[in-house]
Amino acid sequence: MMKRGLLASVVVCMLGALWCGAADEMACSDCHDVQLEGSAHHEVLSCRDCHEGLDVEKHTESGAKPVNCAECHSDQGESMEFNIHKRLTKRVGDLQPGCADCHGSHKIEPMAAITDPSQKFCQSCHENVTLTGSFHLKPFIANDDCLSCHDTQDYHAVVESSVHTEFACIDCHGYVGENLDSHVGGIPFDQKANCATCHAQVAATHAESIHGISLAEAIPEAANCWNCHGSHHIVPVKSAESPVNLGNLSNTCGKCHADPEFVKKFSMGIRNVVIQYQESVHGRLALEGREDAPNCATCHESHAIKNRRMPGSTISSFNVPQTCGQCHSEIEKEYKESIHWVLAKRGISEAPVCNDCHSEHDVHRVNSPDRRQAIRQLQNDSCIRCHQDPMLARRFQLNEQRPSEYLDSYHGLAVMRGDPDAALCIDCHGVHSILPKSHSASLIHPDNVRETCATCHPGATKTFALSYAHNEVVTSSRTAEYWVRQIYIWMIIIVISGMIVHNVIILGFELHKHRDRSRKQVALRRFNGNEVIQHLLLMLFFTLLALTGFALKYPDFPLFRLLTAIGLNEPTRQWLHRAMGVGLVVLGVYHIVYLFAARSGRHLLKEMLPRPRDMRDMVHNILYHVRLRKTRPSFQQFNYVEKSEYWALVWGTIIMAATGFLLWFPTMVGDWAPIWLIRVSEIIHLYEAILATLAILVWHLFFVIYHPNEYPMNLAWIDGSISLETFKHHYREQYLHIVEEWRQHREESRPEEKLSYDTRLLLKTLRKHDLDPDLLLKHEEEADTEDDASQS
């Protein structure tokens, strides 16, 4: 019975409560057109749940108490005392929104139904705001939690000294605040912080830059906000401490763009940009403290940094003139009247814009004291480089010979000699407003060219002006120019060829006459037939090796171009060079065998061995020829000059053979060899060849041809013989040794078989010519005694 009564009481109470609630709703709606249907509070709360203590009859006069959402949402209510709006009150005033400002009053949407809180709650006051975490996260708790792990630095002090002094950790690190427990294992590189919460417009601009696009492509090295502005200690841009201050910006950008590893990894192309900028006229102005000096942001912008190919790039060919025109407006105006800009505007990438002539970062002054020299360098690097490019000439129907014609003209030659007044490209064509010859305003238009020439040649006539166009005569006179040039070319060929033939005839006569005089004298065999043939083969191999070797390194040299024209193409040159190399090596091996196997070879080796007296002879000979000694030195059979040539030849042959073999068969070099071996062998082979060739021309030919005592030529290389008089003069000590041996032989104190090789060779030569050695040598001994007496 009691159970039935209790159940009835509960039902009555519930029905009463429902009736009362319904009565309240019906009473509120009588005056207030409020619908809670669809609200997060619908079916959960009634009017009185939020509007507590409301007197239905009297509240129209006394009003209703403010709703306190924190009674149910205590955590969110507590966070309102610490949110970003509250903390920025000192800076911007009390602009903190209430609960209803963001969520509304009655029709409050459930949070689960809102996909973009930033768009829903913030856009009414802020444009493009992005929330990184919950707005109601308790920052004082987040700070304490952050500092419990990040205790290596006092971040409170760092942040307080920055422009973000009122900020808490989660204001920037919203992702971490929302994922406090899971972030220990690492934070996604794009979630470390989000400056877009406050700097939405800048962030949107950055997102469209090459840095932002790279970050979106998951390239963590791309520059984010804190890479440039700093992380916690962010100071105003104009502060000297700011990394993006004008004085620090180049070094800030250089942290990436001057890092060799970064440049290599991302194939940046331009290297050492920071050094180039700092040494440029722009960088030097910045170092001087000029606030208007161009810096990285001036040309690349601060946040909308784009490469040359991206739409809207400030450094694209189409926009570079405008970018430079920020400072050089007059020059921009002049340039945009030129043929270069006309072509660039049409999308022809080869058409030069500002940086094609002045470079991007290492821009140098052209108004310096050595202005003309700077312009000359600019001319070589820009005007001539482009206009003599064969590919550009074919593509745009240009005459690629124009630069070489200019360089061969009086103006070009005078410029290369350093004449500061000689005409440069800009003197005739203009500086920035360069126009084609056909344009009526062009400086080289037929109607204007006289005035252009008159700037350097006062009183210049039109005929004078039209007579010069680089190095060609005007079109109407090209026929005369052609025939005059041809006549002179053939005149030179015929006249000089006749002179050569004439002189060769005279030289042949004089050599024959010289040979006849030598034959009338007693001839001493200097070299035997074997040695003469070795020398002839050496001449042949060396000459062909030099010609075919240098033809590879210097193919444009006129002599080698002539050899190519007559059939010495590259395959022929290769095999001829290698054949001569093999011949030289075989000759060298044969010579070594000859030195040890033949008696004459052993004698040659013995006489060629260096001795201490060779150095004394050299010093004595130099002192004699500078008149510091009165007597000339007495040489043995081979003097220091001949010995130095001989051993240099031995050394050079070994070096050239070894390096030549490596270059001929480079793939045979095994892994045991250092990686630089082949390249170093190539260098040694080239410079040893240059050294040997110059030694022959400067040293050897002087002593066998150009020396006054030998001119027109020492003929020993043909028959191996020299006159006794020549031997006596050049190798006096050896001659005196032979005379002494002859005297001993004559006195029968030394048999003939004990005489030296040279003495027996001389005796054999004298007997071959039916000459009495006793009478001849006695005469030479007496003459020599008289010479000694006269010198003393």
Side-chain angles (χ1 to χ4, degrees):
M1 189 70 177
M2 289 181 63
K3 291 182 179 180
R4 290 180 180 177
L6 179 61
L7 179 60
S9 301
V10 171
V11 171
V12 170
C13 290
M14 291 179 66
L15 291 173
L18 290 173
W19 180 85
C20 291
D24 287 344
E25 291 292 348
M26 290 177 63
C28 293
S29 62
D30 289 342
C31 299
H32 303 283
D33 186 14
V34 175
Q35 299 293 330
L36 294 181
E37 185 176 354
S39 169
H41 294 160
H42 181 57
E43 298 181 354
V44 177
L45 298 176
S46 66
C47 299
R48 290 182 180 275
D49 291 326
C50 296
H51 301 281
E52 293 181 346
L54 186 65
D55 188 329
V56 176
E57 299 297 333
K58 299 180 179 180
H59 83 281
T60 54
E61 298 176 0
S62 60
K65 294 181 180 179
V67 175
N68 185 7
C69 301
E71 290 184 357
C72 294
H73 304 284
S74 57
D75 290 342
Q76 287 78 4
E78 188 176 3
S79 73
M80 293 295 287
E81 296 299 318
F82 304 97
N83 67 47
I84 186 64
H85 293 114
K86 185 75 172 181
R87 282 180 276 110
L88 289 177
T89 299
K90 293 181 180 179
R91 180 182 297 186
V92 299
D94 187 8
L95 300 177
Q96 179 170 230
C99 303
D101 293 321
C102 295
H103 296 279
S105 301
H106 298 93
K107 196 169 184 177
I108 300 173
E109 294 184 44
M111 289 300 299
I114 299 174
T115 57
D116 186 357
S118 301
Q119 179 71 24
K120 177 66 178 177
F121 301 127
C122 307
Q123 296 305 320
S124 59
C125 297
H126 304 286
E127 294 181 1
N128 301 320
V129 171
T130 301
L131 291 176
T132 59
S134 173
F135 179 78
H136 294 295
L137 192 65
K138 298 179 182 178
F140 70 96
I141 298 176
N143 283 351
D144 291 343
D145 289 341
C146 293
L147 295 176
S148 65
C149 295
H150 301 281
D151 56 356
T152 57
Q153 184 178 355
D154 185 1
Y155 288 99
H156 273 310
V158 174
V159 173
E160 286 179 0
S161 63
S162 74
V163 295
H164 294 156
T165 180
E166 299 94 348
F167 285 13
C169 299
I170 64 158
D171 291 330
C172 298
H173 304 285
Y175 176 86
V176 177
E178 293 285 9
N179 302 272
L180 200 59
D181 296 330
S182 61
H183 93 283
V184 178
I187 306 172
F189 78 94
D190 57 343
Q191 295 289 354
K192 291 183 178 179
N194 192 351
C195 306
T197 303
C198 299
H199 306 283
Q201 189 60 50
V202 173
T205 303
H206 176 266
E208 295 179 357
S209 72
I210 186 63
H211 292 156
I213 293 173
S214 299
L215 288 170
E217 294 175 351
I219 300 176
E221 292 88 350
N224 219 320
C225 306
W226 47 88
N227 297 123
C228 301
H229 293 272
S231 54
H232 296 93
H233 184 60
I234 299 177
V235 295
V237 172
K238 292 187 177 181
S239 171
E241 299 179 34
S242 173
V244 292
N245 178 273
L246 297 183
N248 304 324
L249 187 57
S250 62
N251 288 324
T252 299
C253 298
K255 287 189 297 183
C256 294
H257 291 276
D259 180 1
E261 293 300 322
F262 179 89
V263 171
K264 179 179 179 181
K265 180 176 181 180
F266 296 101
S267 302
M268 300 302 293
I270 301 177
R271 300 174 184 271
N272 302 321
V273 291
V274 175
I275 296 176
Q276 290 181 14
Y277 167 76
Q278 291 177 346
E279 292 180 353
S280 71
V281 61
H282 295 158
R284 293 183 185 279
L285 290 174
L287 291 176
E288 293 172 3
R290 286 273 297 270
E291 293 186 358
D292 60 342
N295 55 71
C296 305
T298 307
C299 301
H300 297 275
E301 295 199 358
S302 301
H303 300 100
I305 300 173
K306 299 180 179 181
N307 63 32
R308 295 188 68 172
R309 299 296 182 186
M310 295 173 67
S313 170
T314 57
I315 58 171
S316 70
S317 296
F318 191 79
N319 291 327
V320 160
Q322 183 177 348
T323 299
C324 297
Q326 296 175 93
C327 301
H328 307 284
S329 57
E330 290 298 322
I331 293 176
E332 179 194 3
K333 182 179 179 181
E334 290 179 16
Y335 170 77
K336 286 190 173 181
E337 296 174 354
S338 72
I339 184 62
H340 291 158
W341 172 244
V342 170
L343 297 175
K345 187 168 57 175
R346 292 175 181 169
I348 298 176
S349 59
E350 293 86 356
V353 293
C354 308
N355 59 312
D356 291 308
C357 297
H358 297 279
S359 187
E360 293 89 356
H361 302 98
D362 56 340
V363 181
H364 295 288
R365 293 178 60 185
V366 292
N367 59 347
S368 58
D370 57 345
R371 176 177 179 270
R372 297 291 290 182
Q373 178 62 27
I375 296 174
R376 173 191 169 187
Q377 186 63 45
L378 191 64
Q379 169 179 289
N380 293 339
D381 294 342
S382 301
C383 308
I384 293 176
R385 175 179 58 84
C386 286
H387 282 271
Q388 71 179 6
D389 186 328
M391 182 176 291
L392 293 180
R394 288 194 300 270
R395 184 176 298 171
F396 301 108
Q397 296 182 342
L398 302 174
N399 186 346
E400 63 184 279
Q401 299 302 320
R402 283 288 187 266
S404 59
E405 290 173 356
Y406 163 75
L407 294 174
D408 288 339
S409 71
Y410 174 80
H411 289 162
L413 295 172
V415 167
M416 288 189 286
R417 287 199 310 270
D419 186 347
D421 298 323
L424 298 164
C425 300
I426 64 169
D427 296 314
C428 300
H429 295 274
V431 182
H432 296 100
S433 57
I434 299 174
L435 297 169
K437 185 177 181 179
S438 58
H439 196 286
S440 60
S442 171
L443 295 177
I444 58 173
H445 186 273
D447 294 340
N448 305 325
V449 69
R450 188 198 67 78
E451 295 180 4
T452 301
C453 293
T455 57
C456 295
H457 302 279
T461 64
K462 189 171 184 178
T463 300
F464 168 83
L466 293 176
S467 69
Y468 178 84
H470 288 231
N471 200 32
E472 71 170 34
V473 182
V474 291
T475 304
S476 60
S477 302
R478 273 189 186 170
T479 302
E481 176 194 5
Y482 171 80
W483 284 111
V484 169
R485 181 180 287 113
Q486 294 301 313
I487 290 171
Y488 262 97
I489 289 175
W490 283 105
M491 184 187 299
I492 291 170
I493 293 174
I494 294 171
V495 171
I496 299 303
S497 297
M499 291 178 178
I500 292 173
V501 172
H502 175 272
N503 290 352
V504 167
I505 293 173
I506 294 176
L507 179 63
F509 175 82
E510 292 298 330
L511 288 175
H512 187 269
K513 183 178 177 181
H514 179 61
R515 181 73 264 173
D516 287 344
R517 285 198 304 266
S518 300
R519 287 174 179 173
K520 293 178 182 179
Q521 301 176 5
V522 177
L524 176 64
R525 180 164 289 280
R526 179 74 166 155
F527 306 111
N528 60 34
N530 190 319
E531 293 166 349
V532 170
I533 293 175
Q534 289 186 54
H535 182 260
L536 290 173
L537 289 174
L538 178 63
M539 289 175 57
L540 175 65
F541 295 152
F542 182 88
T543 303
L544 291 178
L545 278 169
L547 287 174
T548 56
F550 290 133
L552 175 65
K553 184 66 177 177
Y554 308 105
D556 291 331
F557 189 72
L559 173 61
F560 303 136
R561 293 178 66 179
L562 176 62
L563 293 176
T564 302
I566 62 176
L568 188 66
N569 55 26
E570 180 55 20
T572 304
R573 185 209 64 80
Q574 288 179 6
W575 286 109
L576 182 59
H577 187 76
R578 292 165 182 170
M580 293 302 100
V582 171
L584 182 63
V585 172
V586 171
L587 180 63
V589 173
Y590 174 82
H591 184 70
I592 294 173
V593 174
Y594 172 77
L595 291 177
F596 292 96
R599 183 178 181 183
S600 57
R602 292 193 296 271
H603 175 73
L604 175 64
L605 179 60
K606 175 185 175 183
E607 294 299 328
M608 277 292 185
L609 289 175
R611 294 180 176 86
R613 66 163 295 162
D614 293 327
M615 183 61 68
R616 296 195 300 271
D617 288 345
M618 182 182 70
V619 175
H620 187 171
N621 193 35
I622 294 174
L623 293 176
Y624 171 76
H625 282 90
V626 296
R627 303 180 183 276
L628 295 179
R629 294 196 68 166
K630 294 182 178 180
T631 60
R632 69 171 66 243
S634 298
F635 297 120
Q636 295 177 314
Q637 184 173 1
F638 295 104
N639 58 35
Y640 70 89
V641 174
E642 294 161 328
K643 290 182 179 181
S644 64
E645 286 187 308
Y646 179 81
W647 291 110
L649 173 63
V650 172
W651 165 257
T653 302
I654 295 173
I655 292 296
M656 295 299 284
T659 55
F661 182 81
L662 286 174
L663 297 176
W664 190 355
F665 304 104
T667 57
M668 294 182 63
V669 177
D671 294 336
W672 54 267
I675 58 177
W676 46 260
L677 179 62
I678 294 176
R679 179 58 181 154
V680 169
S681 296
E682 183 179 343
I683 294 172
I684 293 174
H685 201 77
L686 170 63
Y687 285 100
E688 184 68 25
I690 294 174
L691 176 62
T693 303
L694 291 177
I696 293 295
L697 296 175
V698 175
W699 187 262
H700 181 69
L701 295 186
F702 172 78
F703 288 105
V704 298
I705 295 180
Y706 307 124
H707 194 287
N709 292 333
E710 299 292 347
Y711 190 82
M713 188 182 296
N714 186 327
L715 299 177
W717 68 278
I718 298 177
D719 59 9
S721 299
I722 61 173
S723 67
L724 181 60
E725 187 65 29
T726 301
F727 182 77
K728 175 183 176 182
H729 177 76
H730 284 297
Y731 311 102
R732 181 172 179 77
E733 185 158 329
Q734 186 69 10
Y735 165 76
L736 295 176
H737 176 70
I738 293 175
V739 172
E740 177 60 25
E741 284 193 343
W742 163 77
R743 187 185 61 78
Q744 294 175 2
H745 172 65
R746 190 180 57 180
E747 295 176 355
E748 301 181 354
S749 61
R750 188 170 185 175
E752 184 170 338
E753 61 270 14
K754 296 294 185 181
L755 296 177
S756 68
Y757 176 83
D758 290 332
T759 302
R760 285 187 287 109
L761 184 61
L762 176 59
L763 293 174
K764 181 180 178 181
T765 302
L766 295 176
R767 289 165 182 164
K768 181 179 179 180
H769 290 81
D770 297 326
L771 297 173
D772 185 352
D774 290 345
L775 292 176
L776 184 62
L777 293 178
K778 182 175 176 58
H779 173 74
E780 294 294 339
E781 183 182 37
E782 291 173 352
D784 186 61
T785 302
E786 292 177 0
D787 290 341
D788 291 341
S790 63
Q791 290 182 6
S792 63

